[in-house]
Structure formats: structure tokens, C-alpha cells
């Protein structure tokens, strides 16, 4: 493959791979530059973020002189990334990994220890002059020690140790390697000290590969596009905080939803609604531990917070206050760059349903609800009884005055429905009869008040007016309205027609019809298109769903990754990358299609619990 395109000096977002160890992670470009890296935690200040400013962001470069072609691939079924770089004089292969501790098993909790990024370069043929540059954002105080350097990084309040198999005069120099020769660099942080020799570093990569492949063997393969499903599962595992099961939305901040626009947000946190969607998907592809871990984290976070939030940091606390970083120009000059997320303070009434749905799935898989947790859950259900009547900022976290969003009302119905079912099935105290009655009444209100006779569709909020909203494709997924209900079929038809971005892609809404406070266009939202696949399956249109699913999969990056959005004009990826919910959508749609193709009745169509 030829040398990747650059735009204003930046690689396309999709020309990156992700590596990590379940605590921190990095993005590595197809030119072998580490251009974004946060350690020791996903939400730590970035050590490198050239992806947000190629001049001031900092990076870790391994670059042959006169580069001509480059290609990336993952070692099969792993989170270990390989980049082949062809120059005029030869070819060098770079293998990158956050290596795991000896004996680590991804299917179990990974013990805390020294975090380590290992970069191994081997010349495949010819002779390579390899430029090596390690430049943390904000600079580092460098001190040589035995076998390497100590890097004190004041901006990150982090001290790292760099070891190398080759003696270099500093952190920016050129190394000549001939065919068959290799070099490695190990960047370490955290507790402990590692003086293992070269062979041990190579072995660490090999052991990490084995650990990933051992874990990946648990992922089912009797689904459409099994390789992409497995890659999606690995991506979610890379986003999974091993200490408590929280799965972050994405490993990056401020990658724009439209180049040159200001739709730039920090997604390095965990959303409660993501748990409800992700758990459903993870359980069905053979990953109950990851599903249970995220459920446990979500319920623990909600239990400790007097007023449930839509998102938390990985340790279950409120994300930091949103701030604008004026020092960075942004990806392709798309300012501002933001750290923290102000949406954590917004009222978003769907959170009530997300929490109760998590509890319902938790109980359905054998989890227990103790008295203290159930007291918290009943309080959430009681809050949902009235919350749907008041405006909020909705699933899309609009930055305008609140509105009575249909999706929010629907998830309040979910809260009441799940609370009633839990109380009855587990013989728990509460008001199951009242909750069930109000859930049914709220379903009726949605069917009536959200319906717009002129557009022949449900619209974004209750009452007159309001634009089309692709989030309503999720109503069957949440068991609010079945996919084959006539009004849901009509809504699916309207969304497909009027929110189409071409190529099977959908806009989540049109800002001119549904003001969100930014007055800017954006890309097509990947998750919504997978929701459309699920609706088509639920309506018995399996062939159409299968064709759409394959079309969507063709939009994946060369490594099988998805951002949050895709530019319908040029199919470049937009938004934070890789986006967990895009991969959750792919997995869930693959499972629904597999069931339908085996002749199993769609889960999203009419069921007895709707009657």
C-alpha cells in the first residue's frame, strides 16, 4: 500500500491502530508514529498528542529516511500491531505492544504492575537509516542512567524510564540498521523496575501475543463477518479498564465530528448507557466476564451517587471540569481541544432506564441485588415517574435549552418496566403494580404524543414539532416499541429516507431541524446505521439487513476499526477513534443477523412482554 495521504500534515484518523493494556493506551499511525498516548490511565494527561497538534503535541517517531510505502496489520486475534515501512534503501518492520506482565491472562483480572510500551524494529531487507525521536508533550527532564534514561515529565506529573538495545546519543537521533539487524525501545511507567535483557523484551511480545490469542478464542465465530466481530471484541477489551470493568467510550479527545468545526469532545470516560448496550452484545459473543464487569461497575457508580450521572471517570467519579486547551491547534486545525466533559453535569433522563436495565441484565445473569442497592434502584424508578415530563438534554447531549426528548421518555418507561419485573420476579419490596401500570401508560403517550401525522414518523420530542431522530431506532432494542409495530415500521422508513447520508450511512438528526447549540454539520453516525440493521431484522427484512450490514462493514478502517462518525462525502472517519459504541453496534447486529439466518424469531419483534 502506498504512503498514506496527509491532510494539513495529519494522517487520516482511520490510518491509526490502537494498542493498550487495559489501563492506558496509544494510537500508532500507519507511518509508525505514536501520536496519541495516555498513561498510566486512559484519562491521564496525554504523554503524546501530535494527533491534536503535530508541532506541539509530542510524539514517539520511528521513521526511515525516504519512506515510500507503509502498511499496518494486527498480529491475528491480538492487540499487537505491526507496521511495515518501505524506504528507497530497504524495509523495516516495527512491532508495537503494551506488553503484559509474565503469566497474565486476559480472561482473568490482570494484576497491577509496571506499564510498558515496547517498540521492536527489524530490517527485513536492505539498509535503513531509522530516525528515532521521543518528545513528550511539554518536554521532559532527561537523565541518563544504567541502560537507558529517566524522563521526568512535569506536565503529566509522570516519571518514565526508557531502555533501548542500542546506544543512542539522545532522544532524537538516527540509527543505521542492516538486513537482519534489529533494535528495541521499552518505555516504562508505574511501580517496579525492569532490567530484563533483549531476549526478554522479545519474549514479552511473544507472551503478549499468546495471551491475546488465548482470550480471543472465547469469541464466537458463527456470525456474519466473524473477523470484524472478533476485532470489535478486541477493541472493546482494549477499552476495558481491568481494575473494575469500566469500558471507556473512546481512547481519544477532541477528534472532530466535522473537520474545521468545534464538535470536539473528550470521550475518555465511561457512560452508563454504553454499559446497557455493551453488556447485551458482549454476553452474546462469549464474553460474560467483560459483560459482568461493566454491569458491576455501572451499578456501583450509580449506587454511590445521590443523583445518577450519565458518565463517570473510570474510578466511578465525576469527570473533571471541561476546559479548553488553547496551546493545541486541534486535528487538522479543528479547534478547540477539550479535556473533561461538561455533559456529565447535564440532566439526561435516559440514565434512569439505563441503570434499571443494567440491574435487570445483572439479575438475569445471576447477579444479586442487596437491600442497599435495591433501595437505590427503587429511588431511580420513582424519579423516572416524573422525570420524563421535564425537559432534558437527551442522548445526544445537546448544548441548547432542554426539550422533552422522546428517547428520554422511552428510557423512563424502561426504568419503570424493569423495576416492576425485578420486584415481581425476585419478590422485592416496592410498587411493581404502579410501576407496570405507569410503564404501559408511558408507552401509550410515546405512541401518541411522539407521532407526527405529517411526517408519518415518531419525532425527537413529545408534542408538536420536532425533527426526525435516529435514536428512535433504539426503541425496539430497549423493548419499548416492537420493530414490527406499524408506527415503528413507518418511522424506520422515514429515517432511512430523510436522514440518509448515502452508502448505508445515517445522520443522527439534521441540525437545521433539531437545533443542538452548535449550528454546524457533522458526519454520519455509525451506530445509528447498525440500529437500522437491527430494525430491518426485527421487521423480517433479513436480506436487506444483511446487505446493509455488509455495506457498513466495508466502511471499517484497514485495521477493522470504526470512529464515531464517517464523512459521507469522502468516507473519511470522524470523531473519537476507535469508538466503543460503533463496535458494540457491529457486534449486536451480527448476532441478530446470525439468529435470523438460523431461523430464530427476531428478539426485536412482537413478544409476550409487549402484550
Amino acid at each position: 500500500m502506498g504512503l498514506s495521504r496527509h491532510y494539513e500534515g495529519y494522517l487520516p484518523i482511520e490510518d491509526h491502530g490502537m494498542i493498550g493494556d487495559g489501563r492506558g493506551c496509544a494510537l500508532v499511525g500507519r507511518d509508525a508514529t505514536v501520536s496519541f498516548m495516555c498513561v498510566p490511565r486512559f484519562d491521564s494527561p496525554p504523554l503524546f498528542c501530535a494527533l491534536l497538534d503535530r508541532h506541539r503535541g509530542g510524539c514517539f517517531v520511528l521513521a526511515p529516511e525516504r519512506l515510500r510505502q507503509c502498511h499496518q496489520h494486527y498480529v491475528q486475534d491480538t492487540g499487537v500491531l505491526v507496521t511495515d515501512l518501505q524506504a528507497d534503501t530497504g524495509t523495516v518492520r516495527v512491532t508495537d505492544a503494551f506488553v503484559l506482565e509474565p503469566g497474565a491472562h486476559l480472561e482473568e483480572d490482570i494484576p497491577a504492575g509496571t506499564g510498558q510500551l515496547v517498540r521492536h524494529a527489524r530490517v527485513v531487507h536492505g539498509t535503513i537509516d531509522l530516525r528515532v525521536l521521543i518528545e513528550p508533550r511539554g518536554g521532559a527532564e532527561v537523565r541518563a542512567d544504567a541502560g537507558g534514561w529517566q524522563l521526568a515529565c512535569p506536565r503529566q506529573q509522570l516519571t518514565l524510564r526508557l531502555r533501548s538495545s542500542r546506544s543512542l546519543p539522545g532522544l532524537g537521533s538516527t540509527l543505521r540498521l542492516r538486513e537482519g539487524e534489529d533494535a528495541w525501545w521499552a518505555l516504562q511507567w508505574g511501580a517496579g523496575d525492569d532490567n530484563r535483557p533483549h531476549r526478554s523484551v522479545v519474549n514479552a511480545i511473544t507472551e503478549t501475543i499468546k495471551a491475546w490469542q488465548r482470550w480471543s478464542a472465547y469469541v464466537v465465530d458463527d456470525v456474519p463477518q466473524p473477523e470484524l466481530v472478533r476485532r470489535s471484541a478486541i477493541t472493546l477489551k482494549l477499552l476495558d479498564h481491568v481494575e473494575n470493568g469500566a469500558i471507556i467510550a473512546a481512547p481519544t479527545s477532541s477528534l472532530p465530528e466535522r473537520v474545521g468545526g468545534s464538535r470536539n469532545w473528550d470521550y475518555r470516560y465511561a457512560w452508563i448507557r454504553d454499559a446497557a448496550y455493551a453488556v447485551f452484545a458482549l454476553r452474546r459473543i462469549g464474553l460474560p466476564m467483560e459483560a459482568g464487569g461493566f454491569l458491576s461497575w455501572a451499578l456501583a457508580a450509580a449506587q454511590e451517587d445521590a443523583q445518577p450521572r450519565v458518565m463517570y471517570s473510570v474510578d466511578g467519579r465525576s469527570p473533571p471540569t471541561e476546559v479548553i486547551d488553547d496551546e493545541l491547534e486541534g486535528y487538522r486545525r479543528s479547534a478547540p481541544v477539550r479535556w473533561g466533559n461538561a455533559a456529565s453535569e447535564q440532566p439526561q433522563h435516559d440514565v434512569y432506564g439505563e441503570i434499571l436495565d443494567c440491574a435487570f441484565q445483572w439479575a438475569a445473569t445471576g447477579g444479586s441485588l442487596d437491600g442497599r442497592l435495591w433501595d437505590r434502584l427503587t429511588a431511580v424508578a420513582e424519579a423516572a415517574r416524573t422525570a420524563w415530563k421535564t425537559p432534558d438534554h437527551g442522548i445526544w447531549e445537546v448544548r441548547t435549552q432542554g426539550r422533552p426528548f422522546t428517547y428520554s421518555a422511552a428510557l423512563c418507561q424502561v426504568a419503570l418496566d424493569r423495576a416492576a419485573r425485578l420486584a415481581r420476579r425476585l419478590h422485592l419490596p416496592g410498587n411493581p403494580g404502579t410501576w407496570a401500570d405507569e410503564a404501559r401508560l408511558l408507552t401509550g403517550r410515546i405512541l401518541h404524543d411522539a407521532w407526527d401525522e405529517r411526517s408519518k414518523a415518531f419525532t425527537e420530542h413529545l408534542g408538536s414539532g420536532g425533527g426526525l431522530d435516529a435514536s428512535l431506532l433504539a426503541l425496539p432494542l430497549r423493548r419499548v416499541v416492537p420493530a414490527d409495530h406499524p408506527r415503528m415500521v413507518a418511522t424506520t422508513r422515514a429515517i432511512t429516507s430523510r436522514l440518509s447520508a448515502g452508502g448505508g450511512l445515517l445522520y443522527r438528526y439534521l441540525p437545521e431541524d433539531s437545533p443542538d447549540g452548535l449550528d454546524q454539520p457533522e458526519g454520519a453516525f455509525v451506530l445509528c446505521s447498525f440500529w437500522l440493521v437491527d430494525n430491518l431484522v426485527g421487521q423480517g427484512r433479513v436480506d436487506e439487513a444483511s446487505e446493509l450490514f455488509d455495506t457498513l462493514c466495508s466502511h471499517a478502517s484497514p485495521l477493522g476499526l470504526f470512529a464515531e462518525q464517517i464523512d459521507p462525502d469522502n468516507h473519511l472517519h470522524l470523531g473519537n477513534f476507535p469508538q466503543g459504541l460503533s463496535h458494540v453496534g457491529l457486534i449486536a447486529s451480527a448476532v441478530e443477523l446470525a439468529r435470523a439466518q438460523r431461523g430464530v424469531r427476531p428478539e426485536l419483534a412482537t413478544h409476550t412482554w409487549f402484550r
Side-chain angles (χ1 to χ4, degrees), residues 340-389:
N341 197 312
S344 65
E345 302 296 330
Q346 289 183 343
Q348 297 177 29
H349 299 327
D350 69 296
V351 70
Y352 302 115
E354 313 294 0
I355 292 171
L356 264 299
D357 200 36
C358 284
F360 189 79
Q361 294 190 60
W362 176 252
T365 54
S368 62
L369 303 177
D370 61 30
R372 181 168 177 262
L373 177 56
W374 179 241
D375 287 345
R376 181 76 186 103
L377 294 173
T378 57
V380 169
E382 287 296 316
R385 293 176 61 183
T386 56
W388 67 270
K389 302 175 184 178

